[in-house]
Amino acid sequence: MTDTPARRHRPVTALTRSLPPWSLLAAGAVAGGLLGGTYGLVRTPQYTATSYVVAVPTQKSDTATALGFAQAYGRVAPQLAVLGDAQVWAGVPVSTLRDSVRTATSPDAPMVSVTATSSRPDLAADMADAVARALTRHAADTEQSTRVQLQQFARAVEPAEPSSASARVTGLVGASAGGLLGGLAVLVRPRRAAGTTGRQAAVPGPAVAADAHGQL
């Protein structure tokens, strides 16, 4: 006769019950830390560089108008018309610029930040400067109508350290996640019912039951 699935799982369930609660937490933290640290070591480091452009009002405009156009230029920067020119100076395809470059604006200052991320620090700086340069050229084409001039405020600096998380950080994150999963395992693991012991109550045999019936 083959064992049923319930019988096959009984040793595992008994082992889980016998383990102290802290052992599941420790096992989860250690396993998560090892996985997170390994991921941080094998992952390619990423570098980030940022270039800044500022919107300057002309004599026929004001600061509020420049602030409004800075917001508009921030939304236009990721468009194909700008990236198509930027790819010539950056030396990468438009698809790479679209995936690697992000822009941001401020509600208080007429400034646009162009941030690029790459596995090469020099390429990250080149992509950020290329998009900023292309954006200023497109703004110059419409300067007569917008009455706002877009100028480069600061060029991107080649990063010296990666912006991605180090192996130590990913290891700590993995250990925290593993400890959390270990804690959940402690909560859902089967427990013994209160008041039960390891020995089961003996059931009287047929002979004892028959003698008791004859005495009644």
Side-chain angles (χ1 to χ4, degrees):
M1 178 183 296
T2 58
D3 293 338
T4 62
R7 291 181 179 179
R8 288 196 300 266
H9 288 299
R10 283 177 183 174
V12 179
T13 304
L15 178 61
T16 304
R17 290 178 178 178
S18 62
L19 291 175
W22 62 265
S23 63
L24 296 177
L25 292 174
V30 171
L34 290 176
L35 291 175
T38 302
Y39 172 75
L41 289 175
V42 301
R43 184 184 58 175
T44 303
Q46 298 293 312
Y47 297 86
T48 300
T50 304
S51 180
Y52 297 91
V53 294
V54 60
V56 180
T58 60
Q59 296 179 355
K60 299 180 180 180
S61 183
D62 52 19
T63 305
T65 302
L67 180 60
F69 275 103
Q71 303 289 331
Y73 289 138
R75 292 189 292 268
V76 170
Q79 301 300 320
L80 181 60
V82 177
L83 299 183
D85 292 342
Q87 69 172 343
V88 179
W89 299 307
V92 295
V94 173
S95 58
T96 302
L97 292 175
R98 185 182 295 112
D99 297 335
S100 305
V101 177
R102 297 291 181 269
T103 59
T105 57
S106 172
D108 302 321
M111 186 173 294
V112 182
S113 63
V114 181
T115 302
T117 303
S118 175
S119 58
R120 291 169 42 193
D122 58 334
L123 183 58
D126 290 342
M127 289 192 298
D129 286 336
V131 175
R133 180 180 177 183
L135 185 61
T136 56
R137 286 194 57 182
H138 279 268
D141 295 338
T142 58
E143 182 179 345
Q144 296 297 328
S145 59
T146 61
R147 298 177 182 178
V148 172
Q149 184 181 13
L150 198 63
Q151 299 177 357
Q152 188 165 25
F153 182 77
R155 294 179 59 87
V157 178
E158 183 175 328
E161 296 180 356
S163 57
S164 56
S166 62
R168 182 179 180 180
V169 174
T170 56
L172 291 176
V173 173
S176 301
L180 178 60
L181 293 178
L184 294 176
V186 172
L187 295 177
V188 301
R189 72 171 184 168
R191 300 179 180 179
R192 292 182 179 180
T196 59
T197 61
R199 298 178 58 186
Q200 296 182 353
V203 179
V208 178
D211 293 343
H213 180 70
Q215 294 176 1
L216 296 178

